[in-house]
Amino acid sequence: MPIEKRQALLAAGPLSSLLYVAATDGVAAAKWEGYRRTEQMVSELLAVGSPGRDAIVPLLWIYTLLFIAFGVGVWSSTHGNRALRTGGGLLIGYGLWNIAGGFFPLRLGDETSVPLHILATNVQLALMVAAMCFVAAGFHGRMRWYSIISLVLSAVMGMIAFMAAPGPNLVLGIGERISIGAFLLWVAVLAVALWKRTLSRQAAEGPPS
């Protein structure tokens, strides 16, 4: 794959992270009068019956397409590194699962929707954790340690937020956002790391003959 195409695919990662934040705590939260970002779950913004759902769904489809493109970019930028290639495949799976997970949303005021939503979320979390583990294994030095720290932070804060549910409370709202934010930032940092690695490899190999 041409380097320009790989770079464009990798750039989709940071764009997807920015779009996710803008779509949830930006667009959707603004349409819900009285919604408290520091105390309520992000999932509520996506729930059926949420005032911002109609606005956020198209944006999340774009987010999903960008994330899948990013996964393909990671997959194509591994240069024979099996761990990174596996991580890229898992990131693609994570993006695709966003589509499947959309069939199991929360429904405001409907407790029967919670078990399936939790199951779908757990599958997504498993793909996320596995991807971060394989990417960590595929790097050495700072990126490996950054991946490990990001994974631990995201997992710990996610569990803390889960135990604080259903809320609303500060532990739930802030904890969940730290958990999500750690992953979104990791995606952006991974894109930059692979971009630099690709450019360094190209410089070492010289221009194509």
Side-chain angles (χ1 to χ4, degrees):
M1 181 184 293
I3 185 172
E4 294 81 6
K5 189 172 183 179
R6 286 202 299 269
Q7 288 176 327
L9 290 169
L10 289 173
L15 287 175
S16 72
S17 294
L18 288 172
L19 179 59
Y20 186 90
V21 175
T24 53
D25 278 346
V27 175
K31 289 184 174 292
W32 186 336
E33 185 177 356
Y35 179 84
R36 289 167 287 180
R37 294 174 179 84
T38 57
E39 297 183 18
Q40 291 180 252
M41 294 186 295
V42 175
S43 298
E44 294 179 66
L45 295 170
L46 316 179
V48 176
S50 164
R53 180 174 170 80
D54 290 343
I56 198 175
V57 167
L59 295 175
L60 289 184
W61 275 106
I62 298 173
Y63 164 80
T64 297
L65 292 175
L66 286 172
F67 197 94
I68 292 171
F70 169 67
V72 173
V74 175
W75 171 275
S76 64
S77 302
T78 57
H79 304 294
N81 187 315
R82 291 185 179 181
L84 279 179
R85 195 169 182 84
T86 302
L90 288 164
L91 288 171
I92 294 171
Y94 177 95
L96 291 171
W97 185 254
N98 278 336
I99 300 173
F103 292 102
F104 308 102
L106 283 176
R107 298 178 184 274
L108 293 182
D110 181 7
E111 294 296 325
T112 64
S113 67
V114 174
L116 283 178
H117 176 73
I118 291 176
L119 176 62
T121 300
N122 284 339
V123 172
Q124 189 177 41
L125 290 175
L127 289 168
M128 181 195 81
V129 169
M132 294 179 80
C133 286
F134 275 100
V135 168
F139 275 94
H140 298 283
R142 289 180 295 178
M143 188 61 202
R144 172 176 288 184
W145 283 108
Y146 177 75
S147 295
I148 294 171
I149 292 169
S150 296
L151 173 57
V152 171
L153 179 62
S154 184
V156 169
M157 295 309 298
M159 287 188 289
I160 290 173
F162 180 79
M163 290 186 289
N169 58 70
L170 288 173
V171 175
L172 173 61
I174 295 177
E176 186 183 45
R177 281 163 175 80
I178 292 174
S179 176
I180 294 171
F183 176 65
L184 296 178
L185 183 59
W186 175 82
V187 166
V189 173
L190 174 59
V192 172
L194 287 175
W195 197 330
K196 288 181 177 179
R197 174 180 281 196
T198 299
L199 290 175
S200 297
R201 187 180 183 91
Q202 184 188 45
E205 293 176 349
S209 57

